Structure formats: C-alpha cells, structure tokens
Amino acid sequence: MKKTICLTAFSLLMIAGKVEAQNSKVGLPIYKNPKAPIEERVKDLLSKMTIEEKAGQLNQISGRFLTGPSTEDSSEKKKVQDLKKGKIGSFLNIIGAKKTEEMQKVAVEQTRLGIPLLFAFDVIHGFKTIFPIPLAEACSWDLKQAEKNASIAAREAAAAGLHWTFAPMCDITNDPRWGRIMEGVGEDPYYGSLISAARVRGFQGNLNDTAHILACIKHYAVYGAVEEGREYNLVDISRVMLWNKYLPPYKAAVDAGAATLMNSFNVFEGVPTSGSKYLVTDVLKNKWGFKGFLVSDWGAFGEMINHGYAADKKDATQKALNAGSMMDMESRIVINFLPELVKEGRVSMATVDAAVWPILYYKFKLGLFENPYKFSNEEREKKELFTDANIAEARKAGDASIVLLKNDNVVLPIRKNSKVALIGYYANKNADVLDRWPGQGDTAKVVNLYNGLTNKLGSSLVGFTDGYKDDGTTSDSLLQQALETANNADVILVNIGISGKLAGECQSLANPIIPDGQVQLIKALQKTGKPIVALVSAGRPLILTQINDLVSSILYCWHLGTETGNCIADVVVGDYNPSAKTVVSFPYSVGQIPVYYNHFNTGRPNTNHGDGGFTSRFRDIPNEPLYPFGFGLSYTTFKYDSLRISNQNITKKDKLHVKVNVSNTGKMDGEEVVQLYIWDKTASIIRPVKELKGFKKILLKAGETKEVEFTLTDKELSFYDADGNTRLEAGAFKVFVGANSRDVLEKDFTLQ
Ligand code: BGC
C-alpha cells in the first residue's frame, strides 16, 4: 500500500517535469526513473546486483502444478523463502490475477532491489477460450485469423496476470508418431515461417499495453526431427537440412520480433542445444541478431548430464551459460552453481550480464517496474475471459480448420431433413475433446460433437451410440447397438480417431492408425448399405488407409477446442463450405514415415509409378502418401488452367510473374488455397522436387473465374548452404501451380 502511494506521488512529480531534481534529492536510482532510457535503467540495475541476485534472475520455477518431472522441494513455503532472497526471477504455471499479484508483492516489496517477476504459462492455442490445435489452425491457411487467435489468447492470459507464453512452437516435423506434431506448423518451412510470424505478432502486438504478452519461439532447434517420433529422442541431421528445412520458421519468428526463445531437449551434432554455442551464439545471436532472452526447456540444462555431455550440475551450468543460454527452467542448477563458477573464473561476469540484461530489459519494457501489478487485475479477468466475441472467433477458426479429404457421391453436406445417426464414443465425452495443452480451458464448457449436432439438427439426429470403447476396441454388443442406431438413419456419421489426451507432450505413438475396433465398427456399418461419413478427431494425421475405401466421406476434424461440436456441425450441414488444406502429408502406412511432399528425387526416381525395376520404391505400398500436403476438398469444385509465366529466361535481378486462371465449376461459392511450388533442378546442393513458395486463399463465387498472380524473386529462388549463406544459382527451374502439392500445372524456366 505504502509503495503504491509513493509511486502515485512519483508519477505526479514526473508529469511536473521535476524528476531529475527529485531523483537527486531523494536519491532515487536511475533504474527506478521511468523517464530514463531502458538501456540505462538496465545498466544501473545490473551494477547494483550481486552475483546471487543475477543468478536469481536466471532461475525460473514452476508453481503449483507441473508441466514436467518434479524437481526438489516444490512447496509454496520454500518458493516464497527463495523469492524473498532474490533467488527467483520468474515463475511458470502460477496463474490468475490474485495469485500472481500475491507473489509479485513478495518480489517487489520484500526483496532487496524489488525486481518484479515474470509469470509464464503454456498458452498454446487459447487461454480460457480454446482455439483449434495449432496444427489444425495452420490448415486454414488464414494468417490473419491465426494472428487474431493468438491475440485473443494473449488478451485472456494477460487478464489473468500472465506476461509470457511458451508459444509458438515453430518445429517442422514429418512424423505423426510424435505427439507434439499437434502443436506445430506442419511440414513446410515456407508456410511454417509465415504462420510462426503471424502467431508472434498476435501474442505480442507492440508489447506496450496490457493486452499482449511475450512470445517464446520453441523448441530451438530441430526438435521436430526426433528419431522414431519418440519424445526427447536423438536428432541427427545435416547443416544443409538444418538451414533449409528446420531453421526458417524460428528465423521468421525472430524477425517478427519474438522476445524470447526456448532451447530444445534434443542434441544437434552431438551437443545438447542448451550447450550449443553454434546454435545459440553463432546463429541466433550473431547471425540473426536476436536481442531477446532464452529460457531452457523444462530441466534441459540439467539433462545435459544424462545426455553424457556434462559431468555434473556445475559443469552443466557452465556449459549452458558459456554457450550463450540464459534462463534455467526447473533444472535449479544455475541458481546453485553460477556464483561459484564466476568466482572461479569459469563463467565471466560479462557472460552473466549478457544473460541477465535482456530479461531485465523486458521487465522494464512491459512496464513492470512502474506498475508490477498491471496485468493482475481481477476486474479485467472477470470481464475478458471466455467472452461471446472470443467464442465466436474460436468457432470461425474451427470451421476453417476442418479438412474435407474425401466426398464420394457428394454425400456431404447432408441433405436437409435427412435422418442422421451419430456413432462414436468420443463424440459425447468432453474429456477427450481437448488436448494436452488445454490452457485453462474448461472441459465442462466444451461443445462436444453430440451437443453440436443436436444444436444444429434437432430431431433429425435420430440416434446416438458409442460403437467402441475408450481404448478404441469394440464388442459384439456395441456393434449390435451401432447397427440398430444406424438402421433408423439415412446417413451415418462415425466419429473415429483418438482421444485428445493423446495429443501433446510425451504422447508418441508407434502406430498412429485408426484403432482396430473402429475399423471393425465401420465394416459392420457397411452392411447397412447407407453412406458413412468419417469424422476423424486426432492431434496428428492418422493413417487412414484401412478405412479410406470403406467410407463415402472423410472430414478431418483434428481437435478444435471450445467450439468443436458446433464447428463440425457447421461443416456437416454445409453452413460452412470447407476451405482447409492439410499442412502435413497423411502417410499410407507406418513404414512410410517420414513421408513428405518436399522430398528429394534420388538417383533412381520411380517416375513411372509402375513396376519400376531398379528404382527407389516400396514393393508393397506406393511411395506417395494417402493424401498429400496442401490437399483439401470443398463442396464446390475448382478448375485450374492457362498457367503462364512472364519469361522463360530470367536474370538474377528479374522478377518472374506467374499467372493462372482458377474457376469455380460447382454450384456453391467457395474458398480455394491456390499454391505455387518450385523445383530448382540444377543446384550445387540438391533441392527438393517441390518447394512451396507462395499461396493465395481466394473466394470464388459459383461459376466465377479469377486470374491469380504470383511473383517470384531472388528470395524465393535461393536456398541456404551449410553455413547458412543464401545462394542464388543459375540453372533450370520448374514452377508449379495447383490445388495441392500433387495436382499441379507446370512450366519450365531458366535462371541465367
Ligand atoms: C515442454 C515445453 C513447455 C514447458 C513448460 C516442457 O516440457 O517441452 O514445450 O513449454 O514444458 O511447460
């Protein structure tokens, strides 16, 4: 209370322009002077800090609940004791205006220097209003909506006292076995870059209000390439791959101004990324000019010991700090060993200051020294969370994330007044709807599929039954009930897939397939002779091969958050015409993983798709995925023709204009994502057979034709060498335009 009065009086003096005079009179340090430039305030504060206090700023501790393995004494009492000693600079997992204010008060009023805390939380796809999982959201190809979703998530989180989210995840991956594929951007570096940047803009805005929060790029770097898709596993890739395939989204997020970045759990070239001077200092700081701060992933500094890279906790601390890493999330080693390491000259004070500097910088930038409680506002928390407006945006985002993979005989949208049966255990279980990163989403407030369809169809929904059990198996009686339910209907909707509980961290699956019991269910339902629509819920592209030919239509629904059921119902009845396209390939079988569109040609490509002789192919399955990257149908149809380019020979300074006509040949208005790919056919380092380099999402009225134009410049035509330098090389190129990465028109051109 006393402090607040002082601050208010101080602000008045400031307005009167008497700050300097007062400063010297009352001896107010520069760091407390809001008129001084932030850099000077940081410098002043650093000069007053002991090494123990600096180590405290590098120490991040989890609050009540854990999002990683538990460490030492995690009691609240111990945390408050440590906090008072200046030993904690940031908390994760302390949430809510009241709780954050309470802890902030201790930091501000009961520590020697009164440095405010940062409160962080995994706000991955919404805080209270839950949006589609990031992978689904990416399938909308709607960058503005993605930015808006992140900004709503930030606004809600900020109203609950939070300053910082651990998002966006910018990891490219080709592996549906990896549970975290749900959290990312899919398999393409170009699109992954655009959506990562959009998410950063949405979370952060200009960071000059109480509606935005710090973003955190994760997991730096290459976490999406874990072997076998097994969480925390080895990564082993070349630098050429690193630069061309994996780094671009992190780099785009840095360029978009992301304030923070997280070291990943994996190694790169045999070195844990937290200890990788190459990744952290050479690339991130020196080459890219990243000025923000880094935080380790949960316990990752300490895990350098398990990796076999550090001898003990002290050694791990030294290796992390000397590589340029900064904040220690839950290893609790920097706080214990840094002071000693500095005294022994094993870590320099300059290194420590460089690590603490950006953390203090952002505490000043957020205005926390002037008003440490500005984000912790119970009134705002009551008003801003789960509002009708936010829920409406979640519905829009969900509608736009559902991918129509198959629609034989135009079974969808279902005809008005048709009788509909819904079968599927998950359809009426809220606990299975949200994923493992549900923010503070309230399961009870989720609209599940059964509720969504009931809202929309009323009495046309003639029956509902489980059909299978929670583990995906079935039984004779469940199948019997399913048949009875289906017999009353004209169309059968079957909700299959896997629970949201299997989407997220540590949810690797060796067999990302449609569970056996669900396949049996669909086979049984086939006996009715009625059209079957599969509504697939999952946080990853499941292998659909077993059911693909058994059903008329497939809507890939992912996990859509708060409005799940309403969104699926919108699409099922045609209130929303699907416009999403998958940003990951759907493998044909497990043995094909990793399968991705931007693969390489090999010396013996299987171009004729036939017997192939001595070509690179499987003997038992096709090389191609079941559904390729960029694929997604609409309730209308589109035709592409007249692809033309402005020149067949261009110089390195020229721009190549590429035009195509796209027509809506169906009877419904619809949106189409027009995609442009290139192939650099003669390069000093081989390039993928297709690389996305542009897209446009356009609305076409029924019967309408639009000319769509793209421009290719040196930027799109270059690639990276192993040192991260861009190369633009003369040679033969192909340009492709089409509705997905497979169905394209093409032209050749030469770069001189
Ligand atoms: C995850 C991160 C997450 C962190 C904090 C880790 O286990 O890998 O993505 O941000 O926990 O919850």
Side-chain angles (χ1 to χ4, degrees):
M1 192 60 197
K2 221 170 168 190
K3 201 86 173 187
T4 322
I5 293 165
C6 285
L7 278 174
T8 315
F10 180 76
S11 323
L12 291 172
L13 285 173
M14 193 183 82
I15 294 162
K18 291 179 184 159
V19 173
E20 294 309 318
Q22 288 300 322
N23 273 355
S24 55
K25 256 193 237 159
V26 294
L28 200 64
I30 298 172
Y31 85 88
K32 290 206 168 164
N33 178 358
K35 277 199 149 180
I38 294 185
E39 286 74 11
E40 278 182 35
R41 300 178 75 185
V42 176
K43 196 167 152 208
D44 181 53
L45 181 52
L46 264 178
S47 73
K48 295 180 167 51
M49 290 168 77
T50 63
I51 179 63
E52 286 75 16
E53 285 163 338
K54 289 177 185 175
Q57 289 304 305
L58 298 174
N59 189 28
Q60 186 184 56
I61 296 295
S62 183
R64 240 172 292 164
F65 67 91
L66 305 177
T67 44
S70 60
T71 335
E72 304 143 19
D73 181 1
S74 270
S75 67
E76 180 114 357
K77 194 168 153 220
K78 166 89 164 70
K79 279 172 207 158
V80 173
Q81 275 168 4
D82 284 352
L83 182 55
K84 285 184 185 165
K85 290 183 204 149
K87 284 180 148 193
I88 298 175
S90 165
F91 278 108
L92 72 153
N93 301 338
I94 289 186
I95 301 153
K98 192 152 178 273
K99 194 70 205 164
T100 50
E101 180 169 344
E102 216 174 282
M103 280 296 195
Q104 192 70 297
K105 248 190 163 56
V106 180
V108 173
E109 296 183 5
Q110 299 187 50
T111 64
R112 191 177 77 90
L113 294 166
I115 304 174
L117 289 161
L118 282 178
F119 293 103
F121 183 52
D122 291 281
V123 183
I124 306 298
H125 54 113
F127 179 71
K128 202 78 180 171
T129 309
I130 306 303
F131 288 82
I133 54 168
L135 185 66
E137 178 192 78
C139 295
S140 70
W141 299 68
D142 186 341
L143 300 175
K144 286 216 173 79
Q145 185 71 48
E147 184 174 334
K148 188 177 259 175
N149 299 347
S151 76
I152 291 170
R155 193 180 192 92
E156 290 193 354
L162 295 166
H163 307 128
W164 182 16
T165 175
F166 298 126
M169 185 178 111
C170 309
D171 304 329
I172 295 286
T173 189
N174 298 136
D175 208 323
R177 292 172 298 186
W178 192 43
R180 304 201 77 168
I181 190 173
M182 56 78 57
E183 203 182 334
V185 296
E187 73 190 34
D188 182 69
Y190 172 85
Y191 182 62
S193 299
L194 294 175
I195 195 144
S196 295
R199 287 170 177 163
V200 170
R201 288 195 301 271
F203 284 129
Q204 290 197 166
N206 294 322
L207 285 180
N208 55 4
D209 53 26
T210 48
H212 293 88
I213 56 178
L214 306 177
C216 182
I217 302 164
K218 69 186 192 186
H219 306 86
Y220 186 75
V222 220
Y223 193 35
V226 278
E227 278 187 2
E228 306 165 303
R230 181 153 55 78
E231 196 81 84
Y232 320 122
N233 203 7
L234 182 82
V235 167
D236 190 11
I237 58 147
S238 70
R239 286 199 188 201
V240 170
M241 268 305 180
L242 173 81
W243 278 99
N244 286 287
K245 179 163 177 156
Y246 292 97
L247 288 187
Y250 308 114
K251 162 86 163 57
V254 168
D255 292 344
T260 81
L261 175 143
M262 186 183 288
N263 309 102
S264 52
F265 287 123
N266 55 283
V267 300
F268 175 67
E269 293 180 335
V271 177
T273 61
S274 303
S276 170
K277 184 178 160 296
Y278 176 68
L279 285 176
V280 170
T281 297
D282 301 352
V283 175
L284 180 68
K285 295 185 193 170
N286 296 344
K287 204 167 170 86
W288 294 351
F290 177 68
K291 297 275 186 291
F293 66 89
L294 289 102
V295 60
S296 77
D297 205 339
W298 184 293
F301 283 1
E303 288 171 17
M304 285 199 268
I305 303 165
N306 290 345
H307 276 294
Y309 183 72
D312 51 30
K313 292 178 177 179
K314 188 167 170 184
D315 190 31
T317 305
Q318 178 179 344
K319 287 185 164 138
L321 268 286
N322 283 344
S325 292
M326 300 173 177
M327 191 184 277
D328 168 3
M329 181 201 290
E330 273 292 347
S331 287
R332 307 191 187 195
I333 59 174
V334 168
I335 190 64
N336 292 323
F337 297 99
L338 189 60
E340 229 171 285
L341 285 164
V342 170
K343 271 170 214 131
E344 290 164 13
R346 287 162 65 182
V347 175
S348 73
M349 193 59 98
T351 299
V352 176
D353 287 352
V356 179
W357 178 286
I359 298 169
L360 297 178
Y361 177 91
Y362 276 104
K363 290 184 174 184
F364 282 113
K365 168 103 183 141
L366 289 173
L368 297 178
F369 280 83
E370 279 64 69
N371 185 355
Y373 314 110
K374 66 194 265 197
F375 287 75
S376 309
N377 180 329
E378 287 188 76
E379 273 309 295
R380 214 153 66 82
E381 189 175 29
K382 268 186 224 138
K383 269 205 307 236
E384 304 251 359
L385 271 47
F386 210 64
T387 62
D388 289 348
N390 293 358
I391 296 169
E393 289 299 332
R395 180 148 177 187
K396 259 166 68 184
D399 286 349
S401 303
I402 299 171
V403 187
L404 177 64
L405 290 176
K406 184 177 179 188
N407 199 14
D408 288 356
N409 307 319
V410 199
V411 165
L412 288 176
I414 54 170
R415 314 281 174 270
K416 256 211 153 85
N417 303 324
S418 23
K419 286 188 275 170
V420 178
L422 174 64
I423 300 171
Y425 173 90
Y426 298 136
N428 197 21
K429 298 284 177 307
N430 283 20
D432 295 297
V433 177
L434 296 182
D435 57 289
R436 291 250 162 199
W437 288 126
Q440 288 289 286
D442 187 344
T443 319
K445 292 200 173 138
V446 161
V447 180
N448 66 35
L449 179 53
Y450 173 74
N451 297 139
L453 281 173
T454 308
N455 293 343
K456 186 74 84 182
L457 298 175
S459 57
S460 299
L461 184 63
V462 294
F464 168 71
T465 187
D466 284 354
Y468 56 87
K469 301 180 203 160
D470 62 343
D471 61 359
T473 60
T474 189
S475 66
D476 288 347
S477 64
L478 283 171
L479 292 178
Q480 191 49 40
Q481 280 165 32
L483 276 173
E484 280 162 23
T485 309
N487 277 333
N488 299 325
D490 307 316
V491 184
I492 312 167
L493 306 182
V494 192
N495 184 207
I496 53 172
I498 50 179
S499 164
K501 292 178 199 143
L502 289 171
E505 185 171 356
C506 215
Q507 303 306 316
S508 298
L509 289 176
N511 285 305
I513 55 173
I514 297 295
D516 224 39
Q518 298 180 2
V519 179
Q520 280 179 49
L521 169 67
I522 290 176
K523 283 186 176 157
L525 291 170
Q526 266 200 313
K527 291 185 201 130
T528 63
K530 300 183 180 183
I532 303 174
V533 175
L535 307 171
V536 191
S537 304
R540 59 187 99 209
L542 293 174
I543 293 156
L544 302 172
T545 312
Q546 272 191 291
I547 59 116
N548 194 56
D549 294 338
L550 308 181
V551 298
S552 303
S553 306
I554 303 176
L555 277 179
Y556 214 81
C557 304
W558 311 102
H559 298 299
L560 298 172
T562 299
E563 284 289 283
T564 294
N566 286 335
C567 299
I568 301 175
D570 285 343
V571 174
V572 165
V573 304
D575 284 349
Y576 183 85
N577 184 0
S579 67
K581 305 237 184 187
T582 181
V583 294
V584 279
S585 303
F586 280 78
Y588 188 92
S589 81
V590 175
Q592 204 187 37
I593 298 171
V595 61
Y596 46 94
Y597 89 93
N598 42 0
H599 64 85
F600 294 84
N601 204 30
T602 79
R604 294 188 180 188
N606 181 236
T607 40
N608 63 6
H609 301 273
D611 172 36
F614 291 97
T615 63
S616 178
R617 60 177 294 236
F618 292 107
R619 287 283 153 189
D620 51 349
I621 58 163
N623 283 7
E624 291 72 30
L626 188 63
Y627 292 105
F629 174 87
F631 185 85
L633 300 171
S634 161
Y635 292 153
T636 189
T637 45
F638 298 104
K639 188 175 118 226
Y640 286 67
D641 65 62
S642 313
L643 178 65
R644 49 213 184 270
I645 55 177
S646 53
N647 206 331
Q648 277 182 337
N649 293 296
I650 57 166
T651 69
K652 291 183 179 173
K653 287 194 193 115
D654 288 341
K655 290 185 169 127
L656 185 75
H657 300 284
V658 182
K659 291 183 185 169
V660 72
N661 294 348
V662 185
S663 311
N664 181 340
T665 48
K667 293 201 175 68
M668 219 189 226
D669 299 350
E671 286 180 283
E672 170 70 336
V673 181
V674 183
Q675 300 157 44
L676 177 139
Y677 299 85
I678 63 161
W679 182 12
D680 180 350
K681 293 197 68 184
T682 42
S684 55
I685 298 169
I686 58 159
R687 306 299 309 136
V689 295
K690 274 192 196 115
E691 289 182 87
L692 183 76
K693 291 293 177 183
F695 75 90
K696 298 222 161 113
K697 187 163 185 172
I698 55 166
L699 173 69
L700 285 174
K701 298 223 170 314
E704 189 185 9
T705 298
K706 270 187 187 160
E707 179 184 85
V708 180
E709 180 171 351
F710 296 94
T711 306
L712 288 175
T713 66
D714 55 344
K715 201 167 139 236
E716 288 80 27
L717 300 180
S718 8
F719 60 92
Y720 289 104
D721 65 18
D723 296 320
N725 302 312
T726 46
R727 284 198 193 172
L728 179 65
E729 293 180 347
F733 282 79
K734 267 187 190 297
V735 59
F736 313 85
V737 179
N740 59 67
S741 62
R742 183 191 61 201
D743 305 318
V744 288
L745 303 170
E746 61 178 78
K747 288 273 175 205
D748 293 290
F749 68 94
T750 309
L751 179 66
Q752 288 158 346

